[in-house]
Structure formats: C-alpha cells, structure tokens
Amino acid sequence: MENNRDDILNELIKYYDGDSEPQSGVAAEEKSKEQGMDDTRVIMRKPAVPLREEKLGNTITVNVSKAPEETGKTSDKATEKTPVLGETQNVSMPKTRPQPVIEEVLGNLDITGKPIDRNHPKSPEPETRTIKSGYNTETVPQQRRNTNPAKSTIHVGVEEQDELKDVKKRSGVWYAAKPLWVTLIICAVIVSMFQFYITDTGIIGTYKRNFNNNMRHIFNMFGVEWNSEDSIGTVTKAEPGPRLLADGDNGIIMSSGYTEKDNVKESAPSEYKIIGENKSVIPFADADNSDFAAFKDGVVCASGDKICYINKKGEKEWSHDISVANPIVSARGNYIAIGSNGGTKLSLYKKNKLIYSVDVPNKVRSLVVSEKGDTVLITEKTAYKGSVALVNKKGELVFSWSSGTNYITAASILNNRKIAVSLASTDKRVTSYVMMFDIKSTEPASGVELQDSLIYGLETDGKNVMANGDNCVAMITSDSDVKYDNRFDDVSLTHSANDNHGYRVITYTRDNVPIMNVYDKKGKNVDSRDIEATPDFVAIDTTTVLYNNGRDVICGNISDNKKTLYTAPREIKKLIIIDTKSYMIVYEDGLEIIRI
C-alpha cells in the first residue's frame, strides 16, 4: 500500500522527533492539557460494514472401486496310468475347475503308440481325451463339464462367478438409468464449457485475459502475433516490431524505416474499447517533480518556475512565472493554492489572478484550499508533533493549533469553516482521533475515535469528512457523527480515493486476487469487481473510475463492459481524472490528455 502504517509513522517521527521516541509521561500529559484535549468528546465508531463473501461451489465425490482380480487356483497335476488294451478306465469329473489332462508317455512311445522321434519337436498336448465306458468310446473336449444335474454337481469357477456378478449389475435400476445419467453428465460438461466461453468477468474473465496476455507475449517473442479476439489458438504473422529510440527523439522510428502512428494496443480483451487518436501531447519539462490538481475542465500544473492551466483539449489557457521549491498545489471552486513543501511560501489564485503571496510562520508539509478561499496548512513546529494553521483569502492567519502528544497526520476544512484534524496515537497500539475545531476557538468542538487504525488522509465533500486509513474508510459529519466506518482487517487495503461529491473507490487483495469496490456518497457499496492486477494509481469522478495496469490505463464505469483502454508509451508517473470523459497522464518530461 502506498500509504502503509510503518512508512507514515516513520515519516512523522523523522519530521517531528528527529528519529527519537514519542514523548510520554508528565510532559506529554501537560502539553495535552494545554491544548484542551481533556474536553474532547469522543464518539465510538459504528460497526463496520461486512465485506462481501465469496461462495464456494458444490463438490460431488465419486467413489471408484477396482474389480477383484481372478484368484482361481490350479489343481495339482494328476498322473494317469497308461491303460492296457481291453481294459476299461473309469474317469471321474474334477471337483474344481477342469484342467488339461497330462498323459505320461512310457518308454519311447507317444500316447498313440507310435515311436517318438528325438529330433522332432514335442507334439502339442491333445485338445481332446478319450473316455471308455463299457463297450462305448467317446471323444470329448478337455474343458467339457457334466451338465446333468441328476448325476453330478456343478462346480462354478471364478469366471462363472464374475459373469453372475455382471448379470446382477446389469439387472439393477442404476444400470437401467445409465444412458440417462451419462447424458446428463455430458450435457453438464457442454454447458460448463459454453459458460466459460461466454464469461468475461470475475475470476474467469481475469484468467482468460491473463492467459491471452501471456500467450501474446510468448508468441511475440517468436515474431508471431497472438490473436485473442478471433479464437483461442489463432495466430497471424506479426508486422515488424518497433524499436524505440531515445525518449528525447521527436518521432518513434522503427528499425525497418517505418514511422509508428500511435501507441495503440493492437490486441486487447474484448471488454475494452481501444483509444487511439483522441489525445493531446504536451511537452512539460520536469513534470515528474511538479504537482497537479484537477481544476474546472482541465488541470492546474505547478512546477518550480511556473504555474499554468491546461484544459481538457490540451490547450494552455494561461501561465504565470513563479519561484517555488518543491511545489504542492490544491484547487477547489474558483481558488488555487500553491505552497512550498518544506518552505514557508504560500500563494492563492482566483482563477488566473494572483490574490496574495505570503510567508507563514512554520515550514509547510501539506495544504488544502476550500471553495471559499480558506487554506488549511499542516506545518512543522519545534517541540510539537505538528501544527495546524488557517489562512483566509486575504492572506491573514486566523487560526493556529499545535499538538504536543499525538502526531498530526491530515487536515481539511468544510464549507461551514470547521477544521477537521486527524491525530495518531502510538501508545500501546495505534489509534486515530478525528477532531473538529471551530476557527473561533482552539478547543476542539467534538471528535471521534477510530481504534486500531492509522488515518493518513482527510478529504471533504463540503459537508462531511472522508477519512482514509490503512485498514478502514469512514465518513464523519461536522458534528463528529460517523455515517459509516468500513473495516478491512482480514484483507490488504492497497488504495483509496475520493471525489468532491462523496464517491470513493478502494482496492484491496483477498487470496492474492485484486478487487475494486465503489461506494456512493452514502457509503453504499454500489459495485465490486475483480480487476487484472493491483494498480499503481486510482481516481474517481462519481461512478467513473480511472486506474492502471502497468502502462495500460483503464477508464469508465466500473460496471460497464466497454471500459476504455489506452497503452501509455512510457512509464506513468501520475494519473489525474478531469471528468467522466477525460484524464491526464503525467510522464517524466511530458503530459498526455486522453479524451474518451
């Protein structure tokens, strides 16, 4: 998470304590009393809204058993005495499975009385045997069984037992219904395959997109283009690939001598609408070290030596020369505030007109401007954990408050001129307090405690404060009533962003699956979707979300199946959403405005 708990606390300790331990004991308690913290009314948070639960499918278990192997035993060989001519031989049927009768040969004569040729191979055993009964002689096969139940008993062998078992199996109801359940299984498999083919959302959609992307990369390595839109496995011969020259070159030249028209993604998942020509490219030196804020129907850009306004058509409407080191900028309504991060300079513009430029008593860490032109600053102050100041639109310092016990992590201002301040306590466990101040008093008017959470950002829709924490998002009224407090203790919260109307978007991971939730201004979860990967940047304007997956920039309504996709030519440094139809991409030394 870009604002994790350890990084924020380490940064606060570095700013205020010089890497020393937090103050404790009597000194901290006295400073807390000096600031009126004992009169703070703390309101416990409301129960968290539960996250959505994933349902598991039903599992069918089938037991499969092997057929028993044949275990028939072979009887010992019986040696028959050679009969004498004219003598009657009585032969009894074996009680077990009949075995071939082995005749013993006497001397050099075979069973027929003929001499045995020593050079001739052994004759095969006869397949029949002769039985004498009185004066009658009968030749029968070796495997013949007595089938007369009146004279002998039938002995059933292993093969006959298996046959009887098979007959019993084939005579059951389950065997009779075999064609039906086999048909049902085949139909279920076909329906599942068809459902997998037409599904492009959720885990299935993510798997299919990742599969196509991976296959496309593999085939591109061999000069073959993976075409995922026609059919899986269809490939076409790729055109000669571009080889980028230095970033400073004006055009992008391919090794074959052709000029690349645009950074258009040639193949992408079908749920995206590809953006090509509808964009504006603006050179902007040192853009990576500049600050930007959406303003009106464009973006305010502040660098160390100038401030300018660029509309969503890519046109620079006005520009002023300034001298501000490490600029930070905030815009709201008709006002633009610009300050020096780590310095004391503060300036206020009304549209393109400079209202004032003053020096504040302490070094500036962050600033927020209101629709009425009031600017709230978080500043450093010696021997304190932070200080909050309010400068009105005339450039006058009208409010100041310092914290001696708890760290100040964020501040904002509402339309009724109440100042919201977030305090972090690290005693035993991390706890945050969102306090409300009236500019006429340094005593907090009200407050709320958010246990086991580090609040790192406060934004406002004018009437309410939206708190962003390392494991929660909450909305609090100017009277410190908690409208909602959504907790994410069992997942990893990665990003949180808000707009000026109270809408917000968050991203988190559950079981290594990245998920995006969108909330309306009442805190209701209006949509929740799996996304391709954990983004680096997230922004929102009402229900239109903007985020990236590497160099791929996705924009649109989260529930829209035709979100737009643009592939940036270089590494993305920042993303700023202008409105529901346009946004800006910031590169190291340039800008692009994309129009949907």
Side-chain angles (χ1 to χ4, degrees), residues 297-348:
D297 61 346
V299 177
V300 175
C301 311
S303 64
D305 57 356
K306 68 179 178 181
I307 182 173
C308 64
Y309 170 71
I310 302 174
N311 62 27
K312 63 182 179 182
K313 296 180 181 179
E315 302 169 344
K316 186 183 294 184
E317 293 192 4
W318 55 265
S319 177
H320 295 292
D321 292 333
I322 60 174
S323 179
V324 178
N326 300 320
I328 50 177
V329 64
S330 175
R332 191 75 176 255
N334 293 323
Y335 294 94
I336 303 168
I338 179 172
S340 176
N341 188 6
T344 59
K345 195 165 186 178
L346 175 66
S347 301
L348 182 70

Side-chain angles (χ1 to χ4, degrees), residues 247-251 279-288 290 292 299 301-303 305-311 313-319 570 584-593:
D247 291 343
D249 293 337
N250 192 19
K279 64 179 182 179
S280 300
V281 180
I282 306 107
F284 198 92
D286 203 24
D288 190 23
S290 304
F292 305 87
V299 177
C301 311
S303 64
D305 57 356
K306 68 179 178 181
I307 182 173
C308 64
Y309 170 71
I310 302 174
N311 62 27
K313 296 180 181 179
E315 302 169 344
K316 186 183 294 184
E317 293 192 4
W318 55 265
S319 177
R570 291 178 288 167
M584 175 183 282
I585 304 176
V586 179
Y587 303 109
E588 186 176 6
D589 57 357
L591 311 172
E592 272 188 333
I593 292 183

Side-chain angles (χ1 to χ4, degrees), residues 469-530:
D470 63 336
N471 63 351
C472 78
V473 289
M475 178 175 280
I476 306 166
T477 68
S478 60
D479 295 325
S480 296
D481 292 330
V482 180
K483 284 193 170 182
Y484 63 85
D485 178 12
N486 296 338
R487 293 285 169 147
F488 299 88
D489 295 324
D490 58 339
V491 298
S492 177
L493 187 61
T494 54
H495 290 85
S496 178
N498 315 277
D499 69 355
N500 294 334
H501 310 290
Y503 289 85
R504 74 193 320 160
V505 57
I506 65 169
T507 59
Y508 57 93
T509 57
R510 175 186 289 156
D511 298 331
N512 295 323
V513 177
I515 303 171
M516 176 178 287
N517 288 0
V518 173
Y519 299 88
D520 63 13
K521 54 188 175 181
K522 294 182 179 180
K524 180 181 178 182
N525 189 348
V526 295
D527 210 325
S528 181
R529 296 291 178 95
D530 296 345

Side-chain angles (χ1 to χ4, degrees), residues 229-285:
E229 295 185 357
D230 297 336
S231 61
I232 296 179
T234 303
V235 295
T236 57
K237 186 66 178 176
E239 296 295 330
R243 178 177 59 85
L244 299 182
L245 299 179
D247 291 343
D249 293 337
N250 192 19
I252 298 174
I253 308 299
M254 296 197 300
S255 58
S256 58
Y258 296 100
T259 303
E260 185 184 15
K261 292 174 60 180
D262 276 304
N263 302 298
V264 181
K265 197 174 184 68
E266 295 183 0
S267 61
S270 59
E271 68 266 28
Y272 295 134
K273 176 184 177 183
I274 308 303
I275 294 178
E277 300 288 344
N278 203 15
K279 64 179 182 179
S280 300
V281 180
I282 306 107
F284 198 92

Side-chain angles (χ1 to χ4, degrees), residues 38 47 50 56 112 130 196 342 347 428 439 464 526 540 542 585:
D38 293 338
L56 299 177
T112 60
T130 303
F196 179 85
S347 301
K428 295 183 180 179
I439 63 173
N464 306 291
V526 295
I540 187 171
T542 58
I585 304 176

Side-chain angles (χ1 to χ4, degrees), residues 407-411 420-424 432-435 454-458:
Y407 294 98
I408 297 178
T409 58
V421 180
S422 173
L423 306 172
S432 294
Y433 305 92
V434 179
M435 314 304 298
L454 177 61
I455 301 299
Y456 61 83
L458 294 178

Side-chain angles (χ1 to χ4, degrees), residues 526-568:
V526 295
D527 210 325
S528 181
R529 296 291 178 95
D530 296 345
I531 54 178
E532 299 86 348
T534 300
D536 301 310
F537 309 97
V538 175
I540 187 171
D541 187 340
T542 58
T543 56
T544 297
V545 294
L546 174 69
Y547 63 99
N548 75 307
N549 178 13
R551 292 187 179 181
D552 290 342
V553 183
I554 300 97
C555 185
N557 193 299
I558 189 173
S559 60
D560 191 356
N561 291 327
K562 285 293 182 181
K563 293 186 286 291
T564 62
L565 184 144
Y566 175 72
T567 301

